[in-house]
Amino acid sequence: MTRAEENLSMMSKEKAIECAEEALLHVYNRYQIILDHGDGMYLYDSEGKKYLDFCAGIAVFALGYNNERFNNAVKAQVDKLVHTSNYYYNMPAIAAANALSMLTGLDKVFFTNSGTEAIEGAIKSARKYAYNKDGRTDHEIIAMNHSFHGRSMGALSVTGNPHYQEAFKPLIGGVKFAQFNNLDSVKELVTDRTCAIILEPVQGEGGIYPATEEFLQGVRKICDENDILLIFDEIQCGMGRTGRMFACENYGVKPDIMTVAKALGCGLPIGAFVCNKKAAALVAGDHGSTYGGNPLVCAAANAVFEIYQDEKILKNVRETGDYLFKKLEELKEEIPQIVDHRGVGLIQGLEFNEPVGPIVAEAINSGLILISAGANTIRFIPPLIAKPEHVDEMLEIFKKCLWML
Ligand SMILES: Cc1ncc(COP(=O)(O)O)c(C=O)c1O
């Protein structure tokens, strides 16, 4: 612990939060807890209170906290080499790129530091592909209403939520929004300038809406017929969350470009966009990142891949996900305020007929970390090691919270 951290740890929680609010830009309405450490499915705050975690740092920490194999892999890399630059090769990045291209079935990987940056790279790839074809600089992208792709200007421009966009206009041009799961609304927007269609196979932030098979296959067909690149944002729904490595595998549909992040590094900041040969249009000088794909974050990703395989994480997601599905269906029947239940694997949502903020706050008070997706939907995105007994424990607390409100 540094001296500054030690000084803070002597303060009361309230005083430390006061310091936080003085120093940090207030772009989050934070809950009044300071999380300190974790173990498996549980987190502990600075006062020792235990929380069952059904949020996983927003679909990030898949392996359970304090995972020994993951920690050891990261520690070993810290002692060896943390950063070089992308002007040189490093072994962890080579291994991680090979694994990602094998798992996605795509060809070329670019590592980023976040999901948002993966989206930026995907947008640039699509524009460059179209530019190479016709030399025009007025290409268009079709994105979906209620999507979420990140907060930087490019990612924000394809995010179908006017609330996030309004104050930051003008955004990047040429973006049109279709209705998710409505193929006709996509067809209507296609022009000879459309270079890409971007969507999440399961919309996360927008309220846990899985695509229909008809929609995903139909969008693939539109892209094939019009030489448009299909971009799947698997940042939240990928890396095993639906019970398959990537959500699009549930539909038998392959994108031209896939974006990945969150559980890829299980907390170390790494994302990627992965292109097939056709979409790999960026060349030397077109794109770059100082940190992207450094040895440390890639060692973390390699550990994640290995642990997924050895500990049969996907099988666990399918089993626990089915159990969660059954239990949430039962709850929907029991509680009249619940109007819908959606999702698959360990990315499920319960929509209420009113805002769920007070339920989430009550759950956190009661030792259960939950998160919403949109105003009226509770999102269940636990670490992917969750077992049916954790679902039971979660439901016991959750039901009490519903009763108290
Ligand atoms: C589907 C999706 N795309 C992109 C992002 C942005 O990722 P990041 O916050 O790592 O930049 C998110 C984050 O929640 C996301 O859920």
Side-chain angles (χ1 to χ4, degrees):
M1 217 190 267
T2 62
R3 283 192 297 278
E5 285 165 351
E6 210 170 322
N7 286 344
L8 269 171
S9 72
M10 316 273 243
M11 289 178 188
S12 69
K13 179 182 88 174
E14 289 70 24
K15 184 76 195 145
I17 288 177
E18 226 178 275
C19 288
E21 286 303 329
E22 231 172 89
L24 288 167
L25 187 67
H26 188 94
V27 290
Y28 292 99
N29 290 319
R30 290 180 163 92
Y31 296 97
Q32 299 299 294
I33 54 175
I34 302 176
L35 291 174
D36 183 67
H37 62 282
D39 191 30
M41 287 288 297
Y42 300 93
L43 282 164
Y44 297 82
D45 71 15
S46 54
E47 293 171 326
K49 183 171 166 182
K50 184 178 176 182
Y51 300 83
L52 174 64
D53 180 23
F54 261 66
C55 171
I58 322 185
V60 169
F61 212 84
L63 299 172
Y65 297 99
N66 204 17
N67 183 297
E68 201 181 337
R69 277 181 75 182
F70 177 79
N71 290 0
N72 286 343
V74 172
K75 285 178 203 165
Q77 192 59 46
V78 167
D79 287 340
K80 203 171 171 198
L81 186 65
V82 169
H83 179 75
T84 55
S85 117
N86 280 309
Y87 283 109
Y88 319 100
Y89 298 101
N90 73 76
M91 288 300 186
I94 300 171
N98 277 323
L100 252 190
S101 67
M102 186 270 287
L103 290 166
T104 56
L106 299 170
D107 301 296
K108 297 285 178 188
V109 177
F110 182 95
F111 287 116
T112 65
N113 310 289
S114 68
T116 302
E117 286 167 79
I119 297 291
E120 295 295 327
I123 293 172
K124 280 180 74 175
S125 299
R127 282 189 166 182
K128 181 76 192 292
Y129 171 78
Y131 175 81
N132 284 347
K133 252 190 338 186
D134 59 20
R136 289 172 72 152
T137 53
D138 58 353
H139 293 111
E140 295 170 349
I141 295 174
I142 300 175
M144 301 298 141
N145 280 331
H146 306 297
S147 59
F148 184 84
H149 298 293
R151 306 284 195 154
S152 60
M153 292 308 288
L156 190 61
S157 302
V158 293
T159 287
N161 185 336
H163 168 74
Y164 291 140
Q165 294 180 333
E166 183 56 25
F168 306 102
K169 289 180 174 172
L171 302 171
I172 70 164
V175 180
K176 296 167 166 179
F177 289 94
Q179 297 291 353
F180 192 62
N181 280 338
N182 179 336
L183 209 50
D184 287 337
S185 78
V186 178
K187 282 182 191 155
E188 276 165 21
L189 299 180
V190 172
T191 70
D192 63 347
R193 282 170 294 153
T194 309
C195 67
I197 299 178
I198 181 166
L199 61 90
E200 299 153 83
V202 180
Q203 288 192 331
E205 302 290 319
I208 315 295
Y209 287 95
T212 63
E213 208 167 297
E214 185 198 359
F215 182 66
L216 231 54
Q217 290 173 353
V219 171
R220 179 69 270 178
K221 193 157 174 272
I222 293 172
C223 288
D224 291 341
E225 287 170 357
N226 296 280
D227 197 14
I228 294 168
L229 296 180
L230 181 55
I231 304 170
F232 282 165
D233 179 345
E234 293 258 3
I235 288 165
Q236 184 159 163
C237 62
M239 290 300 296
R241 200 146 273 286
T242 66
R244 303 252 180 203
M245 198 61 184
F246 297 106
C248 60
E249 293 169 32
N250 296 302
Y251 301 86
V253 178
K254 233 166 113 173
D256 299 295
I257 306 175
M258 188 191 289
T259 59
V260 192
K262 290 201 186 262
L264 176 61
C266 269
L268 271 85
I270 177 170
F273 62 93
V274 193
C275 309
N276 63 16
K277 286 202 177 81
K278 174 172 135 171
L282 298 175
V283 295
D286 279 344
H287 202 55
S289 165
T290 299
Y291 286 142
N294 83 17
L296 180 63
V297 295
C298 287
N302 290 325
V304 169
F305 291 134
E306 197 169 275
I307 297 168
Y308 267 47
Q309 193 180 24
D310 292 355
E311 297 185 8
K312 303 204 176 347
I313 294 287
L314 302 186
K315 182 165 172 275
N316 186 64
V317 172
R318 290 194 288 274
E319 286 170 4
T320 307
D322 286 351
Y323 186 73
L324 176 66
F325 196 91
K326 184 171 140 262
K327 289 290 174 182
L328 293 183
E329 279 294 292
E330 286 169 16
L331 196 66
K332 187 181 89 178
E333 295 312 310
E334 242 176 77
I335 312 276
Q337 291 94 324
I338 298 175
V339 295
D340 201 9
H341 167 217
R342 298 180 290 270
V344 57
L346 292 177
I347 175 162
Q348 298 190 33
L350 280 182
E351 184 178 338
F352 284 69
N353 60 5
E354 59 192 349
V356 294
I359 303 176
V360 173
E362 188 54 46
I364 292 174
N365 272 339
S366 308
L368 168 65
I369 301 211
L370 286 177
I371 187 169
S372 61
N376 288 12
T377 301
I378 303 254
R379 189 169 12 164
F380 299 88
I381 44 171
L384 304 185
I385 58 157
K387 298 280 178 206
E389 60 259 32
H390 298 118
V391 171
D392 289 339
E393 189 183 339
M394 179 277 288
L395 284 170
E396 195 177 316
I397 305 172
F398 187 57
K399 280 183 192 172
K400 251 187 230 159
C401 294
L402 295 179
W403 187 83
M404 278 186 324
L405 285 163

